[in-house]
């Protein structure tokens, strides 16, 4: 997503791998101190996991990927307490007025933040920060901050517990889907000090409404960085267990150039020695809806009840995939990745008084009936996350797809990058892929005809790409059958994304019974050929007069590519790999070219970026040649070697990537709302989708001796690799339900019913 932002911010970009100092030790301490509540629903799985963990949830490290900076990403994630796909995420804030709001090495926090940020490159919206305190304090974020001991904190998906050293307060936050319970208990040594809660109210038009009789404070947060209509607000209701002694609103100092600085700070004070219990509800619809969410999700339930319910919900989701034979580190990495994969997209729908779902539409500014989700970058997640969901959570996937259809119905166009509404970011219209993958796999739950109408519209009619809908340069694409480099930035990336998108739209057209459209879009899907230069055997920029963009340097990043060079975009024809390999000179030549990618030094020239962006740094930090696993365009490249007749190289390098570029503490680059995590999950199971939109997976090298997929309808699919070990990375044979599996692919249909996939592993090829 940083490529579009790059054009605006002179090279600021996304996407590493270096071992963290201190973070691993902190995370290890957190794991050893998990509370007993995490064991809910885990007894039946006891025999499958390392003895260090009470449950899969016990292994999750919410700090995975958080030790990042704008210059070097190890995930660019936040520690998040939430329920799976929850509308409200809760995190710790150690730095105000920055999308990099949390730093695990900073031993001081400014508060607990309700965040809707999907990536630091797109910033937050509708957020608010809450900070318990005692005594007199300046409510400004930096001045009120308190030290805490990260090694003593208990940070889990279902509960944040930490001790504020300055205020001698034990604080806990327990999330629900749209709300949280925030408690603070102060030491008796502070019995003579006033205690209270400060909260930031961002946004120039935000309002604050205290009601002392009901012990509630209502306020709105209108802060945002785009992607919302003018009437957007997040509505908050805070309900206290006790009456407050005083309440005042202080004006925050203005910070020039910041769109996220609180305009106001609410300060609630209670009598000395009081315990604070604040039930906080959020809504995108109204204060009344927020109050309804509070009553439905929190009510008068105790902390223990809410904590146990949240832990049980997480274990229910994590155990859709039950692994055996993992080392403690692999176990932690796998379920930390599962946690990451189950956070986005966030639900945007809320139940009315009758329990029917409705939502505020970020696409037309009205309250609309039905489901809505938000905050997902299709460019990042189409490659692995949506295929992962088609296997593990097809029922949820159908809901999410209908939400995107609802966005089309409400705004007139399918979104290019919903964050939360129309937002321009990255190349292509990769929503094409996610609907194609769904239709070829028979995923139910969405309006096929409406989806097809939306897909066809942006592939044939000029939209407003700068506004977050419609394809870039569609008129030029239809005229030239490619996007000219002297007219369109990132012309190669936009062209190959469009050609792949056309293939995907063709699959939806076929499923909807539009045969003529199918034929037309399939013909268009071959437009990648217009940019393949047989003399250099790379995809290359071409001007409108048909001349090649010169000079050609395969190491130069940026236009006509995106967040990479010709090396990373060489194979951007996932829908017709056989034809691309034929153009490369055949399978043997293709395998040689792919091996050369892995052995060529990680050279890069900064090109139009004008400076080294973090994706470049992260590629260069590891000995993986030009294979930049730190960014999504490279994610299917290792599996192409299997299609080129060298599955042994696929197996060796996929294992190497899992072993060296993933850990419980970090990712190889920006995690991007489940995309990096989903690659690991699928690869650890032993397969990966080279081309979403085709109902098949390419076989790799499974990481565990056994994995059980718990499918809807109480079905199980078992993946076995007896005797698997770190040295046995090669696959001798594969059997599906006892029958030899020919070739290097596995049909999706096999994963939708009871069955067993058995790998015979070996230490040699």
């Amino acid at each position: 997503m940083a490529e579009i932002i790059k054009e605006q911010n002179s090279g600021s970009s996304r996407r590493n791998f270096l071992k963290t100092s201190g973070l691993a030790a902190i995370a290890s301490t957190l794991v050893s101190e998990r509370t007993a509540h995490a064991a809910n629903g885990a007894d039946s799985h006891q025999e499958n996991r390392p003895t260090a963990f009470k449950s899969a949830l016990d292994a999750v490290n919410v700090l995975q990927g958080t030790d990042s900076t704008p210059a070097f990403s190890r995930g660019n994630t936040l520690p998040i307490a939430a329920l799976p796909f929850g509308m409200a995420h809760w995190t710790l804030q150690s730095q105000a007025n920055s999308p990099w709001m949390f730093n695990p090495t900073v031993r001081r926090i400014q508060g607990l933040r309700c965040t809707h940020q999907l990536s630091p490159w797109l910033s937050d919206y509708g957020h608010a920060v809450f900070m318990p305190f005692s005594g007199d304090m300046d409510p400004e974020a930096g001045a009120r901050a308190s030290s805490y001991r990260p090694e003593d904190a208990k940070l889990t998906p279902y509960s944040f517990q930490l001790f504020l050293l300055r205020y001698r307060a034990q604080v806990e936050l327990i999330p629900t889907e749209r709300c949280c319970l925030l408690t603070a208990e102060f030491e008796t040594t502070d019995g003579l000090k006033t205690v209270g809660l400060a909260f930031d109210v961002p946004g120039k038009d935000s309002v604050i409404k205290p009601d002392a009789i009901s012990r509630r404070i209502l306020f709105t947060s209108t802060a945002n960085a785009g992607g919302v209509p003018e009437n957007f607000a997040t509505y908050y209701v805070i309900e206290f267990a006790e009456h407050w002694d005083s309440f005042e609103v202080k004006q925050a100092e203005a910070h020039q150039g910041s769109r996220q600085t609180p305009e106001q700070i609410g300060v609630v004070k209670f009598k000395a020695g009081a315990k604070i219990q604040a039930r906080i509800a959020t809504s995108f619809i109204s204060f009344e809806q927020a109050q309804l969410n509070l009553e439905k999700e929190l009510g008068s339930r105790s902390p223990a009840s809410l904590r146990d319910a949240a832990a049980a919900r997480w274990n229910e989701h994590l155990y859709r995939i039950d692994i055996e034979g993992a080392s403690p580190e692999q176990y932690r990495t796998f379920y930390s990745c599962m946690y990451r994969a189950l956070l986005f997209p966030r639900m945007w729908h809320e139940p009315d008084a009758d329990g029917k779902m409705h939502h505020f539409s970020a696409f037309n500014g009205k309250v609309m009936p039905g489901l809505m989700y938000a905050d997902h970058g299709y460019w990042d997640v189409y490659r692995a996350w949506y295929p992962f969901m088609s296997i593990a959570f097809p029922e949820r996937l159908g809901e999410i797809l209908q939400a995107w259809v609802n966005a089309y119905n409400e705004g007139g166009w399918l979104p290019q990058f919903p964050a939360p509404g129309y937002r321009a970011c990255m190349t292509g219209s990769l929503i094409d892929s996610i609907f194609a993958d769904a239709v070829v796999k028979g995923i139910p739950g969405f309006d096929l005809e409406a989806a097809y109408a939306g897909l066809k519209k942006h592939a044939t009619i000029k939209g407003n790409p700068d506004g977050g809908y419609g394809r870039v340069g569609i008129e030029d694409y239809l005229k030239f059958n490619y996007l000219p480099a002297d007219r369109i930035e990132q012309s190669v990336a936009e062209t190959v994304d469009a050609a792949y998108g056309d293939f995907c739209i063709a699959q939806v057209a076929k499923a909807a019974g539009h045969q003529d459209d199918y034929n037309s879009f399939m013909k268009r899907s071959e437009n990648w050929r217009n940019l393949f230069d047989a003399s250099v055997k790379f995809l290359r920029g071409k001007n409108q007069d048909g001349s090649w963009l010169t000079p050609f340097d395969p190491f130069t990043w940026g236009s006509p590519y995106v967040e990479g060079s010709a090396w990373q975009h060489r194979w951007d024809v996932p829908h017709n790999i056989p034809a691309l390999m034929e153009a490369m000179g055949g399978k043997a030549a293709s395998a040689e070219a792919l091996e050369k990618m892995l052995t060529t030094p990680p050279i890069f020239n900064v090109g139009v970026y004008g400076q080294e962006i973090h994706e470049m740094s992260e590629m260069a930090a590891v000995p993986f040649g030009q294979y930049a696993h730190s960014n999504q365009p490279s994610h299917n490249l290792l599996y192409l070697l299997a299609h080129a007749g060298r599955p042994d190289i696929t197996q060796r390098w996929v294992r190497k990537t899992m072993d060296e570029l993933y850990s419980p503490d970090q990712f190889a680059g920006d995690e991007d709302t489940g995309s990096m995590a989903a690659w690991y999950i699928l690869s650890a199971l032993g397969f990966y989708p080279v081309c979403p939109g085709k109902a098949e997976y390419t076989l790799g090298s499974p990481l565990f001796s056994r994995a059980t997929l718990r499918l809807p309808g109480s079905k199980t699919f078992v993946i076995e690799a007896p005797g698997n070990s770190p040295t046995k990375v090669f696959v001798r044979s594969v059997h599906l339900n006892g029958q030899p599996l020919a070739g290097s692919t596995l049909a999706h249909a096999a994963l939708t019913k009871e069955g067993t996939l058995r790998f015979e592993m070996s230490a040699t090829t």
Side-chain angles (χ1 to χ4, degrees), residues 477-491:
Y477 182 74
L478 296 176
K479 178 180 178 180
F480 297 102
N481 295 318
Y482 66 91
L483 289 168
D486 53 350
R487 290 178 57 83
I488 302 293
E489 291 186 81
Q490 304 151 0
S491 60

Side-chain angles (χ1 to χ4, degrees), residues 27 37 53 85 165 192 214 243 268 279 339 362 369 429 451 472 474 523 629 716 719:
H37 300 287
F53 308 109
F85 309 104
L165 294 163
L192 299 179
S214 66
H243 290 281
V268 191
R279 297 175 188 266
Y339 154 76
S429 57
V472 170
I474 185 62
K523 181 179 179 180
H629 191 79
T716 58
I719 300 166

Side-chain angles (χ1 to χ4, degrees), residues 97-404:
N97 306 309
S98 170
W100 282 265
M101 63 193 72
F102 173 78
N103 185 326
T105 66
V106 173
R107 303 173 67 87
R108 188 181 301 170
I109 70 160
Q110 301 169 347
L112 296 104
R113 177 170 176 150
C114 180
T115 176
H116 306 105
Q117 180 169 290
L118 71 88
S119 163
W121 304 109
L122 290 173
S123 297
D124 210 346
Y125 65 88
H127 52 281
V129 186
F130 304 85
M131 184 63 168
F133 67 89
S134 66
D136 296 326
M137 60 94 202
D138 183 334
E140 291 276 0
R144 72 181 183 227
S146 170
S147 295
Y148 76 109
R149 289 175 53 84
E151 58 271 25
D152 292 338
K154 298 177 182 179
L155 306 180
T156 72
Y158 60 90
S159 168
F160 280 0
Q161 300 178 50
L162 64 159
F163 188 76
L164 302 181
L165 294 163
R166 173 181 175 181
Y167 301 121
R168 312 305 297 174
Q170 183 64 45
V171 173
E172 181 176 17
L173 185 148
I174 305 168
T176 65
E177 286 182 338
R178 302 167 185 86
C179 310
C180 81
L181 175 64
L182 177 61
T183 62
E185 185 170 355
F186 300 84
E187 285 187 349
T188 55
T189 54
D190 276 359
L192 299 179
K193 291 183 179 179
T194 298
V195 301
L197 182 72
F199 58 92
D200 297 336
V201 182
K204 293 182 179 179
D205 300 320
S206 296
V207 299
I208 303 175
K209 299 179 179 180
D211 183 347
I213 296 176
S214 66
R215 307 186 307 280
R216 295 179 192 140
I217 298 176
L218 288 62
F219 70 90
T220 58
S221 170
T222 59
N224 69 86
V228 297
E230 290 185 1
N231 62 333
F232 163 79
T234 302
Y235 297 84
Y236 287 84
V237 173
I238 313 174
E239 184 176 280
F240 293 99
E242 297 185 15
H243 290 281
W244 57 76
D245 271 7
S246 67
F247 172 69
E248 61 180 325
V249 177
K250 293 182 175 287
Q251 298 300 313
E253 293 181 9
H255 292 257
Q256 188 174 3
S258 172
R259 302 176 64 181
Q260 306 220 0
T261 302
E263 300 293 330
Q264 304 174 88
I265 303 174
V267 181
V268 191
K269 292 185 177 180
F270 298 87
K271 63 185 178 181
K275 298 178 183 179
I276 293 177
Q277 187 177 96
R279 297 175 188 266
I280 305 172
T282 74
S283 171
F284 295 123
I285 296 174
S286 66
F287 287 127
E288 292 76 15
Q289 180 65 52
Q291 182 62 38
L292 185 60
N293 293 343
L294 189 152
E295 293 168 358
K296 286 179 175 289
E297 297 185 10
L298 294 172
S300 59
R301 296 169 67 187
S302 69
S305 172
L306 291 167
R307 193 185 307 118
D308 288 350
R313 180 80 69 86
W314 271 109
N315 266 321
E316 175 190 348
H317 280 71
L318 295 176
Y319 279 125
R320 280 291 176 99
I321 304 178
D322 197 3
I323 62 173
E324 302 176 46
S327 69
E329 176 156 315
Q330 289 172 338
Y331 197 79
R332 291 178 61 214
T333 302
F334 185 86
Y335 284 111
S336 295
C337 285
M338 280 283 286
Y339 154 76
R340 285 289 162 194
L342 297 173
L343 291 171
F344 294 95
R346 80 178 71 254
M347 61 180 70
W348 250 61
H349 46 269
E350 306 173 52
D352 65 16
D354 297 322
K356 295 180 180 178
M357 294 299 175
H358 60 162
H359 61 273
F360 173 79
S361 174
F363 303 97
N364 66 17
K366 302 176 183 178
V367 177
M368 304 294 294
L371 301 171
M372 184 53 65
Y373 285 80
D375 298 331
H376 230 205
Y378 304 134
W379 188 91
D380 300 298
V381 293
Y382 82 85
R383 296 172 175 87
W385 188 88
Y386 279 89
F388 156 71
M389 290 292 287
S390 74
I391 298 169
F393 297 93
E395 70 284 14
R396 174 79 69 167
L397 178 55
E399 279 191 10
I400 293 169
L401 294 172
Q402 182 56 43
W404 307 144

